[in-house]
Amino acid sequence: MKFSPLVDELIQSLRALPGVGPKSAQRMAFQLLERERKVGLKLADSLQKAMSEVGHCQSCRTFTEQDLCPICSSHRRVNSGIICVVETPADVLAIEAGGHFNGRYFVLLGHLSPLDGVGPEELGLALLERHLTSDDVSELILATNPTVEGDATAHFIADMARRHNVVISRIAHGVPVGGELEYVDSTTLALSFNGRIPLL
Amino acid sequence: MKFSPLVDELIQSLRALPGVGPKSAQRMAFQLLERERKVGLKLADSLQKAMSEVGHCQSCRTFTEQDLCPICSSHRRVNSGIICVVETPADVLAIEAGGHFNGRYFVLLGHLSPLDGVGPEELGLALLERHLTSDDVSELILATNPTVEGDATAHFIADMARRHNVVISRIAHGVPVGGELEYVDSTTLALSFNGRIPLL
Ligand SMILES: [Zn+2]
Ligand SMILES: [Zn+2]
């Protein structure tokens, strides 16, 4: 213990954030205590509410505290007939930042990884297949990461989707192999959408 | 709005932390939501308590939610008769990490900066002088940063302390000029303590 239980506890709690080391945690704690107490209280409130109330969209599985996320609530987006399958909510943000995609999403919240116990059920593939069966879906764009696991997941979903009357494509040009979708710039992402290749 | 009000608000609140950009804030929010909700709730609780309850030690002015911080509560540290004057609570941590100093501290919470309205009163110098008058203090070590403002503050305090029967010293060797005490390694800090020069 260096100062007092509450200060030490605050530094420890900040260190648990991704990418925050001991020096940064200390710096954050002191800056908040010295001159940004309102910022700290606001963050406490945001964290408390988000951790307690945010769940998943019942249609696309992205994060939201509502039944449907804003995109799945948009008739224009749903009526596009296009579903883009991504691994994470961060991928949705990356594609939305490009502003070139007008369909809706399906968020796997991961990729197939049998050794970690992640199979079709964990990725919500039954829900995705319900969309293909019941909704008016004309195209399924597979935008999982261009990694071994992401490719395997895309092929697994393509096999499932072939049982339905839907064009299946995989984003292609532009995304660097081995990279993560979340970190690709929006122009490259736009290219990869335009150059998507139908899976036969 | 990209997801829902609570998720967007969480990302905005995290961005307000020092050193956290938009990508990092998003990454933190998603990681907490995906698999570390308890970590997020714990941080919310730590922030709420620290922002509301942490004040300043009545003796040395460092952060604590108690009347006296652990160091000022230690008879051994107080009876050493040595007070080390630093600018910030982070400087206390840096010196404590070295483990070579056994006295107590006085934390200015800044340095003299007339243009910003920071004068002797804001730095608590009346309280420091009460310690020199009433307590059994044999030495005052001035460990303000080796910057123009830190040096000016050290000399101002030295002038004040000369009215009392106390040895006045300034840490010297090792701390790079223009640097910040908080970022100096503990060996260098130890050198600068050993090589302190009495101010005549
Ligand atoms: Zn949705
Ligand atoms: Zn104290």
Side-chain angles (χ1 to χ4, degrees):
Chain A
M1 194 179 62
K2 293 296 166 42
F3 287 104
S4 61
L6 291 186
V7 179
D8 294 336
E9 187 192 305
L10 175 59
I11 295 173
Q12 286 308 311
S13 297
L14 286 164
R15 277 195 64 175
L17 287 172
V20 175
K23 271 280 175 194
S24 312
Q26 193 183 300
R27 210 173 165 72
M28 286 174 177
F30 290 152
Q31 182 163 328
L32 292 173
L33 285 168
E34 266 169 49
R35 50 182 185 276
E36 296 180 349
R37 300 228 175 183
K38 278 185 186 163
V39 169
L41 285 172
K42 170 78 180 145
L43 175 55
D45 182 58
S46 302
L47 279 165
Q48 210 282 323
K49 283 193 286 192
M51 297 301 117
S52 312
E53 296 172 31
V54 171
H56 296 280
C57 173
Q58 292 177 11
S59 176
C60 76
R61 314 209 323 153
T62 198
F63 293 127
T64 180
E65 70 273 18
Q66 295 141 344
D67 288 345
L68 291 179
C69 75
I71 291 174
C72 292
S73 306
S74 156
H75 292 298
R76 184 176 60 83
R77 307 286 299 244
V78 173
N79 291 341
S80 70
I82 308 179
I83 296 180
C84 176
V85 178
V86 294
E87 295 188 21
T88 70
D91 296 335
V92 174
L93 269 197
I95 295 171
E96 287 296 296
H100 51 85
F101 177 65
N102 290 309
R104 58 172 157 154
Y105 296 91
F106 188 83
V107 181
L108 300 171
L109 300 172
H111 47 238
L112 288 177
S113 181
L115 291 180
D116 302 314
V118 181
E121 193 174 334
E122 284 70 28
L123 302 182
L125 295 191
L127 175 60
L128 176 60
E129 194 157 26
R130 277 208 297 283
H131 288 311
L132 297 179
T133 310
S134 330
D135 305 357
D136 196 10
V137 179
S138 57
E139 181 172 2
L140 191 68
I141 302 179
L142 300 170
T144 51
N145 283 325
T147 55
V148 173
E149 298 85 358
D151 281 335
T153 305
H155 280 96
F156 186 94
I157 296 173
D159 286 342
M160 176 189 93
R162 280 197 192 87
R163 299 196 293 266
H164 303 273
N165 183 27
V166 60
V167 174
I168 308 160
S169 61
R170 175 93 170 98
I171 56 165
H173 302 301
V175 181
V177 172
E180 293 199 300
L181 209 72
E182 181 182 347
Y183 293 102
V184 174
D185 66 272
S186 54
T187 312
T188 310
L189 264 177
L191 272 178
S192 75
F193 268 72
N194 292 337
R196 64 189 184 267
I197 302 163
L199 292 186
L200 303 174
Chain B
M1 193 179 62
K2 292 299 164 41
F3 287 103
S4 61
L6 291 186
V7 179
D8 294 336
E9 187 192 306
L10 175 60
I11 295 173
Q12 286 308 313
S13 297
L14 286 164
R15 277 194 64 176
L17 287 172
V20 176
K23 272 280 175 193
S24 312
Q26 191 184 300
R27 210 174 164 72
M28 286 174 177
F30 290 154
Q31 181 162 327
L32 292 173
L33 285 168
E34 266 170 47
R35 49 182 186 278
E36 294 180 350
R37 300 229 175 183
K38 277 186 188 166
V39 169
L41 286 172
K42 170 77 180 147
L43 175 55
D45 182 58
S46 303
L47 279 165
Q48 210 282 323
K49 283 193 287 192
M51 296 302 116
S52 312
E53 296 172 32
V54 170
H56 296 280
C57 173
Q58 291 178 11
S59 176
C60 77
R61 314 209 322 154
T62 199
F63 293 128
T64 181
E65 71 272 18
Q66 295 142 343
D67 288 344
L68 291 179
C69 74
I71 291 173
C72 292
S73 305
S74 155
H75 291 298
R76 184 178 58 84
R77 307 286 298 244
V78 173
N79 291 342
S80 71
I82 308 179
I83 296 181
C84 176
V85 178
V86 294
E87 295 187 22
T88 69
D91 297 333
V92 174
L93 270 197
I95 295 170
E96 287 296 295
H100 52 84
F101 177 65
N102 291 307
R104 58 173 158 153
Y105 297 91
F106 189 82
V107 182
L108 301 170
L109 300 173
H111 47 238
L112 288 177
S113 181
L115 291 179
D116 302 314
V118 181
E121 193 173 335
E122 285 70 28
L123 301 184
L125 295 191
L127 174 60
L128 177 59
E129 193 156 26
R130 277 207 298 282
H131 288 311
L132 297 179
T133 310
S134 329
D135 306 356
D136 195 10
V137 179
S138 57
E139 182 173 2
L140 191 68
I141 303 179
L142 301 170
T144 50
N145 283 325
T147 57
V148 174
E149 298 85 358
D151 280 336
T153 305
H155 279 96
F156 187 94
I157 295 172
D159 286 342
M160 177 188 92
R162 280 196 192 88
R163 299 197 292 267
H164 303 273
N165 183 27
V166 60
V167 175
I168 309 160
S169 59
R170 175 94 172 98
I171 56 165
H173 303 303
V175 180
V177 172
E180 295 199 298
L181 209 72
E182 181 182 347
Y183 294 101
V184 174
D185 65 271
S186 55
T187 313
T188 310
L189 265 178
L191 272 179
S192 75
F193 267 71
N194 293 337
R196 64 188 183 268
I197 302 163
L199 291 185
L200 301 177

